[in-house]
Amino acid sequence: MAKSRTFSIIKPDATRRNLTGQVNAVIESAGLRIVAQKRIRLSDAQAKKFYEVHKDRPFYGELVSQMTAEPVVVQVLEGEDAVAAYRKVMGATNPKEAADGTIRKLFALSIGENSVHGSDSPENATIEIAQFFTDADITG
Ligand code: CMP
């Protein structure tokens, strides 16, 4: 499998608890390379657009308000089959179902405050990366 990229967000519940470095250590230990990264505050419009696919779900309003309340760290990760590799490292969306050693098992507070987001397909990875980074921002 060739190298590919995925998009990651370290969410406010993790940045608030000063866990960025610990999350990154798990990412890097899994063989993924952080090839772009920045700490930003999402605007309401950015968060609504990013999570538009969930706009009819009951948790959408709370999700947008949580994601805009405090800083996030947006990242591009590179590695073999990066989307699948990162999903494995993140663990299940609900931390109660996440496997031992995964980011969500280690750090997540709840299904809503689940510490990280990762793209669910290579197609969405390309779309999500382009919402926050240009090609010039991404180094090898
Ligand atoms: P994420 O991978 O960022 O994608 C959508 C987010 O919605 C998810 O992680 C959770 O943080 C949040 N969320 C809140 N409640 C739910 C729920 N019941 N099911 C799925 N996602 C939820």
Side-chain angles (χ1 to χ4, degrees):
M1 179 68 75
K3 264 202 238 170
S4 57
R5 288 174 177 167
T6 192
F7 177 73
S8 161
I9 304 178
I10 302 178
K11 296 186 179 186
D13 73 88
T15 62
R16 182 197 317 140
R17 290 176 288 150
N18 227 13
L19 293 172
T20 300
Q22 290 186 61
V23 171
N24 280 347
V26 179
I27 290 170
E28 293 184 335
S29 297
L32 288 159
R33 184 174 289 272
I34 302 163
V35 293
Q37 172 171 262
K38 59 186 170 187
R39 183 176 172 104
I40 58 170
R41 182 85 179 262
L42 288 179
S43 68
D44 190 62
Q46 275 178 312
K48 282 182 172 153
K49 181 174 176 211
F50 187 80
Y51 280 120
E52 198 170 13
V53 65
H54 296 301
K55 70 177 185 310
D56 296 326
R57 307 284 292 273
F59 56 82
Y60 180 68
E62 192 183 3
L63 177 61
V64 169
S65 67
Q66 280 173 346
M67 292 297 290
T68 54
E70 291 166 279
V72 299
V73 176
V74 291
Q75 304 176 306
V76 181
L77 310 181
E78 190 173 87
E80 300 278 313
D81 200 5
V83 167
Y86 190 43
R87 292 185 75 75
K88 193 169 170 201
V89 174
M90 286 193 299
T93 303
N94 185 346
K96 288 184 186 151
E97 294 160 13
D100 284 348
T102 61
I103 293 168
R104 286 167 171 160
K105 178 73 172 191
L106 288 166
F107 304 120
L109 300 175
S110 65
I111 193 166
E113 293 195 303
N114 61 357
S115 299
V116 282
H117 164 86
S119 307
D120 63 5
S121 67
E123 295 73 25
N124 283 338
T126 302
I127 292 166
E128 292 175 0
I129 289 168
Q131 287 180 36
F132 296 96
F133 296 99
T134 66
D135 284 348
D137 295 327
I138 305 171
T139 57

